[in-house]
Amino acid sequence: MLDISQLQQRLEKCQDFVHGHQVSVAGRLVRVVGLTLEAVGVKAPVGSQCLVDTAQGELIAEVVGFDGEHTYLMPEQSLQGVLPGARVLPVSQKSQLPLTMNLLGRVIDGVGNPLDGKGPIKVDEHYSYNQAPLNPLSRRAITEPLDVGVRSINSFITVGKGQRMGLFAGSGVGKSVLLGMMTRGTTADVIVVGLVGERGREVKEFIEEILGEEGRKRSVVVAAPADNSPLMRLKGCESAVAISEYFRDQGLNVLLLLDSITRYAQAQREIALAVGEPPATKGYPPSVFSKLPQLVERAGNGGEGQGSITAFYTVLTEGDDLQDPIADASRAILDGHIVLSRELADAGHYPAVDIEGSISRVMPMVTSEEHQQLARTLKQNYSLYQQNKDLISIGAYSVGSDPRIDQAIQLQPVINFFLQQQIKEVIPYDQSLGQLQEIIAAAQAHAQQGQPQPNQQQG
């Protein structure tokens, strides 16, 4: 006859099988603080999922840490109905995301559940959120430009296929609108849009007004609005990247638009602080700065036979401070950045791209010497005008004092016109380059003939 201690030892060694996965025996909930669940008796690895009994049914939560016998979990949904001592049952070792070509035209949440009311998604295979990173030596070099349909970017901040770009801006200066312009104008095969941590209203507007019916056919939208749990916001970004990797592996060129990487960092900060990780730079724990490059490095060109992921990550600069910790860390790991200026936006200049503060690190590798020289010439004229703007405005500059400034003054209206674009207007790469050549040719002709600058004709 067995005594109680022997029965207890057998029970601890006992394992169940749920949905084909070997799992530990159920534990119980002992504490809830904020959005963090604390359980005992659960022996499950970090990243695995558990079912938590509630008054309304079962709640899915993910293991995010542990301390001795205590396991910390973060829920995917609301904690309403959670009871003291509730059963916590591990159900899988790693989250799986359904990946298939049938995702095109669909809107899903952070874990792959459809949000568009079009029924379940027919699944070919499941991938884990965190695939093994590509060998950096197996990646193809960035050699081709990617047309994004925006004249200022095509001309001055040319993007290459497989490049990772940051879109830096404060709130309300047109980040989402610029992303929408790129979805309409890009020549990429597939567009993956991650709307993470933003206003829920923007999801429907982006799909119906910005993407439209045609754009939606080649797009996948992953939505995890601001009212979702930190775990869902975190997974929203990772799911968007995993979907992009799937299409890249099919040999397709993907445009990944992730709005925003700042919300990803904030979600990780909430989770890390909840499980006891100490804060470091401005309240961000060290794990945030570890996860950022892990997310960004998954984009880029694949190996032979694979496609590419050209990624734009929006970075919300708090108080328009480009030295914000997340902005500073992102700038260091990206292949360039586009800065949106609040001053230009306030003046009605859209898209509000600051060509002086923006740079594409791969532009020399994907454009001709002529293109680079044209862009450099026009940028120098624009910058020269900005440097002398105050003197010109108050009338302290005398025309004829400096021929370079005279030319910059005459070119300024043309440059401003060139940099602006209507929201629904698409200007292809070749057309952008042609208009850039026309402006420089007109300026050179004027400089040689000494005649008044003609009215701009491009559009």
Side-chain angles (χ1 to χ4, degrees):
M1 186 173 180
L2 295 174
D3 60 20
I4 295 178
S5 61
Q6 290 175 320
L7 287 172
Q8 187 175 3
Q9 289 176 0
R10 288 190 178 185
L11 184 62
E12 289 174 350
K13 294 178 181 178
C14 178
Q15 293 187 324
D16 295 336
F17 286 84
V18 179
H19 303 304
H21 296 280
Q22 194 177 31
V23 298
S24 303
V25 193
R28 60 186 179 86
L29 199 61
V30 295
R31 190 166 180 251
V32 176
V33 178
L35 291 176
T36 308
L37 305 176
E38 190 174 326
V40 294
V42 178
K43 295 182 180 179
V46 173
S48 62
Q49 290 184 321
C50 297
L51 292 178
V52 181
D53 289 343
T54 71
Q56 282 83 30
E58 292 180 325
L59 171 74
I60 298 177
E62 184 173 305
V63 178
V64 295
F66 57 85
D67 182 7
E69 295 297 321
H70 294 259
T71 302
Y72 300 113
L73 304 101
M74 190 68 65
E76 292 184 358
Q77 301 96 16
S78 168
L79 286 177
Q80 188 173 2
V82 172
L83 300 168
R87 186 185 66 153
V88 179
L89 176 65
V91 293
S92 68
Q93 295 299 315
K94 188 173 285 188
S95 300
Q96 300 287 317
L97 179 70
L99 294 178
T100 168
M101 295 298 290
N102 296 323
L103 281 170
L104 290 175
R106 302 301 300 268
V107 183
I108 61 175
D109 66 10
V111 292
N113 299 316
L115 298 175
D116 50 15
K118 293 185 176 181
I121 299 170
K122 294 181 180 179
V123 179
D124 295 333
E125 50 192 322
H126 288 77
Y127 280 13
S128 66
Y129 291 106
N130 298 306
Q131 292 294 303
L134 284 173
N135 185 330
L137 297 182
S138 69
R139 291 180 182 269
R140 301 190 317 278
I142 300 174
T143 57
E144 299 178 54
L146 178 72
D147 186 0
V148 296
V150 180
R151 182 164 49 195
S152 56
I153 297 177
N154 283 339
S155 303
F156 294 99
I157 323 161
T158 309
V159 178
K161 288 182 181 178
Q163 186 174 359
R164 289 82 57 92
M165 290 286 284
L167 190 57
F168 291 72
S171 56
V173 295
K175 297 188 303 299
S176 299
V177 173
L178 181 56
L179 291 180
M181 293 173 69
M182 288 191 284
T183 60
R184 273 192 296 268
T186 185
T187 55
D189 301 317
V190 175
I191 303 164
V192 179
V193 183
L195 301 176
V196 177
E198 302 296 334
R199 294 179 291 273
R201 170 183 61 82
E202 289 184 336
V203 177
K204 188 175 180 66
E205 289 181 359
F206 192 94
I207 294 168
E208 295 183 354
E209 298 180 16
I210 296 178
L211 273 182
E213 194 63 34
E214 286 301 315
R216 189 172 175 179
K217 291 178 181 178
R218 57 173 178 150
S219 304
V220 182
V221 178
V222 182
D227 60 346
N228 281 194
S229 70
L231 184 65
M232 287 294 283
R233 282 180 268 138
L234 200 71
K235 285 189 173 181
C237 290
E238 294 172 354
S239 295
V241 175
I243 291 169
S244 301
E245 289 175 322
Y246 170 79
F247 286 114
R248 180 191 62 193
D249 293 346
Q250 312 308 309
L252 301 173
N253 292 317
V254 181
L255 178 64
L256 169 63
L257 306 174
L258 197 54
D259 185 13
S260 70
I261 200 171
T262 305
R263 306 302 188 195
Y264 175 80
Q266 290 174 347
Q268 174 61 21
R269 176 175 64 179
E270 291 179 48
I271 294 173
L273 293 178
V275 298
E277 188 177 350
T281 309
K282 288 193 176 180
Y284 287 98
S287 64
V288 171
F289 302 100
S290 173
K291 290 185 76 71
L292 283 176
Q294 291 176 14
L295 185 77
V296 169
E297 283 297 321
R298 291 167 64 184
N301 280 338
E304 292 300 323
Q306 294 181 320
S308 65
I309 302 175
T310 306
F312 283 84
Y313 304 93
T314 66
V315 183
L316 183 62
T317 53
E318 298 180 7
D320 295 331
D321 179 16
L322 292 178
Q323 306 307 316
D324 172 82
I326 300 304
D328 194 46
S330 300
R331 189 165 50 245
I333 58 177
L334 293 168
D335 302 323
H337 52 272
I338 298 172
V339 178
L340 299 187
S341 165
R342 187 172 297 279
E343 182 180 355
L344 290 175
D346 291 343
H349 184 292
Y350 290 103
V353 176
D354 179 5
I355 61 170
E356 289 183 292
S358 305
I359 189 171
S360 170
R361 293 175 180 165
V362 305
M363 184 175 176
M365 295 183 282
V366 299
T367 57
S368 64
E369 287 287 343
E370 181 191 9
H371 182 172
Q372 295 169 42
Q373 183 59 44
L374 291 172
R376 192 180 304 118
T377 300
L378 208 62
K379 194 171 183 178
Q380 287 171 349
N381 279 277
Y382 179 86
S383 182
L384 188 60
Y385 179 86
Q386 297 302 319
Q387 292 168 12
N388 296 274
K389 184 177 180 180
D390 292 339
L391 292 176
I392 297 168
S393 299
I394 64 176
Y397 173 76
S398 299
V399 177
S401 301
D402 188 333
R404 297 180 307 142
I405 298 178
D406 292 342
Q407 178 173 291
I409 294 172
Q410 292 163 343
L411 277 176
Q412 189 62 22
V414 184
I415 296 174
N416 281 334
F417 179 84
F418 182 82
L419 295 176
Q420 295 182 67
Q421 188 171 329
Q422 297 296 321
I423 292 176
K424 296 186 178 181
E425 186 180 11
V426 175
I427 302 177
Y429 179 83
D430 292 338
Q431 185 179 343
S432 301
L433 185 56
Q435 292 173 358
L436 184 63
Q437 292 171 330
E438 290 175 12
I439 292 176
I440 300 300
Q444 291 173 343
H446 165 72
Q448 293 173 357
Q449 299 173 8
Q451 296 177 354
Q453 181 71 22
N455 294 331
Q456 65 263 26
Q457 298 297 324
Q458 75 282 354

